[in-house]
Amino acid sequence: MFVKKSFSGGVEVPHFKNTENIQTEKIGVPDEVIIPMQQHSGAPCKPTVKEGEPVKVGQVIGISESFISAPIHSSVSGTVADISSMIFPDGRYVATVVIKADGKQDIHEDVKPPICTNKEEFIEAVKNSGLVGLGGAGFPAHVKLNPPKDKNIDTLIINAAECEPFITSDYREIMENSADIMDGIDAVTKFIGVSNVIIGIEDNKPEAISLLKKLAAGKKGIDVKALRTRYPQGAEKMLIYALTGRKVPPGKLPMDVGVIVMNITSVGFVGRYLKDGMPLIKKRVTVDGSAVNRPSNVEALIGTKLSDVFDFCGGFKTEPFKIIMGGPMMGIAQYTLDAPVMKYTNALLAFDKTFGNVPPETACIRCGRCYRACPVNLMPLHINRAALVEDMDALHKYHTMDCIECGCCAYSCPARIPLVQSIRLGKTLIKKAQAKAKKDESQKDVKS
Ligand code: SF4
Ligand code: SF4
């Protein structure tokens, strides 16, 4: 079935799906892995291992008491060489566990298929697996799969849109691991109690659509829907609207309209995990861009340095000018090749100067293209101005927190104004003000 309904705004982007027909290759075990204690939305984990301690594959090395968090596991066997911290590209310091690999890849005794006979055991198993949204969002899966009881969930949407240019890691999951995807869908529907499943996929992936349709044909309640190829079709709110006609109101979540959205690689992981019990220790990553010698899809152990990944792909054919983790629209520019592959890394792109250089910013010409491109009907120019002068009233008035950071406004701007950066700054200002207000309130309570 082809879905004509679509969201307003958005942009046509070139696809550059150069690696879609390239089979995933496994990168070997690196000499050492750097494993950050935050690879998810929510609270960071604290290391549970000490320097000098031996570790095995699949062993828990970081946990958090917080509900919104996900445990972190070792991807290699070896010895903990260092517990330190690294600076993320957004300026945060994050604790890391550095492990010298012994190359043996001994598996920890806790790694075994989980026993799931009911919803509670299934949710616990998903939590223990360390699964977070593998489409790039990194939201802990056990939280998403366990909405409050008053939310009446009737639809599971599997997000196979993969709308960002270059990235083909979800596409390869479909072509290489379709049986795991179907097993994962079976498990989620059985334990969460959802009978209506829709797989949403952009219509620029005909082979994957026909494969999924063939597999879904023998199953009850699974519909595969081809969507118009338009960025950001894979954003949750846009996807839900295109597939169900339901609008997620500002400030609300998919569960508020009865929907859970899971990325297709995440659901494939669930299918595998229930069979082998191996937690999330590796990730398929698309490696591409004008500076890369051999564009590829690779399976890298979590914590593998970016330099090791690019070396595996033949290194650089020209000096890289910009390195991005994720897609060119929403990805994050990296400042060092010593950064590691993380759970949510779906692409590593390296561009030379011709491709990656953005001409200097000029003055706004008030063309309104940024408004028209915004899929959530915001006014990016006004948010930009409010953030730069720290006008808190205006930041609230223009609904800054509703921005999904898709980048459509900046992509459309002829003046090349870095709108997303300033919108992120605006969000940080709001969060800081909220945290301060909360702290002031609790101090008032203590005094009274
Ligand atoms: S304001 Fe936010 S949601 Fe709107 S186009 Fe820009 S980045 Fe996307
Ligand atoms: S697209 Fe750029 S130039 Fe046009 S109104 Fe928006 S900020 Fe100004």
Side-chain angles (χ1 to χ4, degrees):
M1 180 182 178
F2 182 77
V3 178
K4 288 210 178 96
K5 190 183 302 208
S6 192
F7 53 94
S8 63
V11 287
E12 300 286 343
V13 289
H15 303 168
F16 296 127
K17 302 283 187 183
N18 310 314
T19 55
E20 66 183 356
N21 293 319
I22 300 179
Q23 186 86 15
T24 311
E25 295 172 83
K26 284 184 185 172
I27 297 186
V29 183
D31 293 340
E32 69 171 22
V33 287
I34 300 168
I35 305 188
M37 292 291 103
Q38 177 136 40
Q39 302 183 42
H40 47 262
S41 314
C45 291
K46 285 197 180 126
T48 53
V49 287
K50 294 194 176 66
E51 248 176 78
E53 193 175 323
V55 290
K56 290 182 178 173
V57 176
Q59 180 177 339
V60 173
I61 57 168
I63 50 167
S64 164
E65 302 278 287
S66 295
F67 177 59
I68 302 182
S69 189
I72 290 173
H73 304 80
S74 178
S75 56
V76 295
S77 62
T79 308
V80 176
D82 194 16
I83 310 262
S84 56
S85 65
M86 63 176 280
I87 308 175
F88 270 24
D90 63 5
R92 275 177 304 146
Y93 277 86
V94 176
T96 55
V97 174
V98 180
I99 303 169
K100 277 261 174 265
D102 60 14
K104 295 181 193 160
Q105 289 304 81
D106 293 330
I107 293 173
H108 193 263
E109 40 284 12
D110 286 350
V111 174
K112 45 189 166 214
I115 296 166
C116 301
T117 58
N118 55 41
K119 181 179 173 183
E120 288 68 35
E121 287 173 356
F122 177 68
I123 298 291
E124 189 62 19
V126 172
K127 182 180 177 186
N128 293 339
S129 76
L131 178 62
V132 302
L134 299 181
F139 192 78
H142 66 279
V143 180
K144 190 180 256 195
L145 290 172
N146 194 19
K149 288 202 168 52
D150 62 330
K151 306 291 173 192
N152 189 14
I153 306 295
D154 62 15
T155 303
L156 170 69
I157 289 179
I158 305 299
N159 188 352
E162 201 161 56
C163 57
E164 278 241 27
F166 290 98
I167 310 178
T168 61
S169 56
D170 283 346
Y171 181 80
R172 292 313 309 169
E173 178 74 11
I174 299 168
M175 302 312 286
E176 296 172 27
N177 297 326
S178 57
D180 293 336
I181 292 169
M182 289 299 152
D183 289 346
I185 291 174
D186 282 349
V188 174
T189 49
K190 177 177 157 193
F191 292 116
I192 305 302
V194 185
S195 52
N196 182 33
V197 180
I198 311 172
I199 303 177
I201 178 164
E202 281 192 333
D203 60 358
N204 63 348
K205 304 173 185 70
E207 281 184 40
I209 293 170
S210 92
L211 174 60
L212 289 168
K213 281 192 170 170
K214 215 162 99 191
L215 292 164
K219 306 251 178 196
K220 203 168 157 252
I222 304 183
D223 200 359
V224 179
K225 291 187 178 177
L227 300 158
R228 181 174 67 142
T229 298
R230 184 171 180 80
Y231 183 81
Q233 186 63 260
E236 280 190 343
K237 290 186 179 184
M238 282 77 241
L239 192 66
I240 292 169
Y241 179 64
L243 295 174
T244 67
R246 299 177 197 175
K247 285 190 176 175
V248 182
K252 297 287 180 187
L253 296 167
M255 65 180 172
D256 295 306
V257 295
V259 174
I260 290 176
V261 182
M262 275 190 94
N263 163 265
I264 197 146
T265 300
S266 300
V267 85
F269 170 82
V270 170
R272 279 188 292 284
Y273 177 69
L274 294 178
K275 286 177 269 191
D276 64 16
M278 181 57 76
L280 186 55
I281 58 155
K282 57 190 179 187
K283 185 72 210 305
R284 181 186 296 101
V285 180
T286 298
V287 185
D288 202 350
S290 58
V292 174
N293 238 327
R294 195 170 61 84
S296 310
N297 276 298
V298 300
E299 183 184 276
L301 294 170
I302 306 288
T304 303
K305 285 186 208 161
L306 306 193
S307 54
D308 289 337
V309 177
F310 284 115
D311 284 351
F312 183 82
C313 299
F316 299 117
K317 57 184 175 196
T318 49
E319 182 69 22
F321 176 77
K322 185 165 276 187
I323 297 193
I324 300 173
M325 185 180 286
M329 298 298 285
M330 292 188 75
I332 305 286
Q334 302 294 303
Y335 70 92
T336 172
L337 287 173
D338 285 338
V341 168
M342 290 189 269
K343 291 180 180 181
Y344 54 78
T345 307
N346 51 10
L348 288 172
L349 307 177
F351 296 107
D352 60 26
K353 204 159 188 170
T354 336
F355 207 100
N357 193 13
V358 180
E361 177 184 340
T362 55
C364 170
I365 56 168
R366 298 189 162 267
C367 63
R369 285 188 208 173
C370 54
Y371 304 159
R372 290 195 292 278
C374 181
V376 284
N377 301 316
L378 299 179
M379 301 176 98
L381 172 61
H382 293 318
I383 303 176
N384 172 65
R385 212 179 288 138
L388 295 180
V389 298
E390 301 193 11
D391 181 343
M392 300 307 292
D393 290 341
L395 284 173
H396 287 292
K397 180 175 155 196
Y398 293 116
H399 304 279
T400 306
M401 295 309 281
D402 290 341
C403 169
I404 58 169
E405 300 182 18
C406 64
C408 291
C409 52
Y411 182 80
S412 308
C413 176
R416 296 169 296 273
I417 296 170
L419 297 162
V420 185
Q421 277 95 321
S422 49
I423 293 169
R424 283 189 184 138
L425 170 69
K427 284 184 172 183
T428 306
L429 291 170
I430 292 174
K431 283 183 202 157
K432 268 171 93 175
Q434 286 168 342
K436 185 176 177 304
K438 206 170 155 191
K439 197 173 161 197
D440 291 349
E441 195 58 37
S442 62
Q443 279 171 351
K444 226 187 328 176
D445 288 347
V446 171
K447 280 179 197 162
S448 60

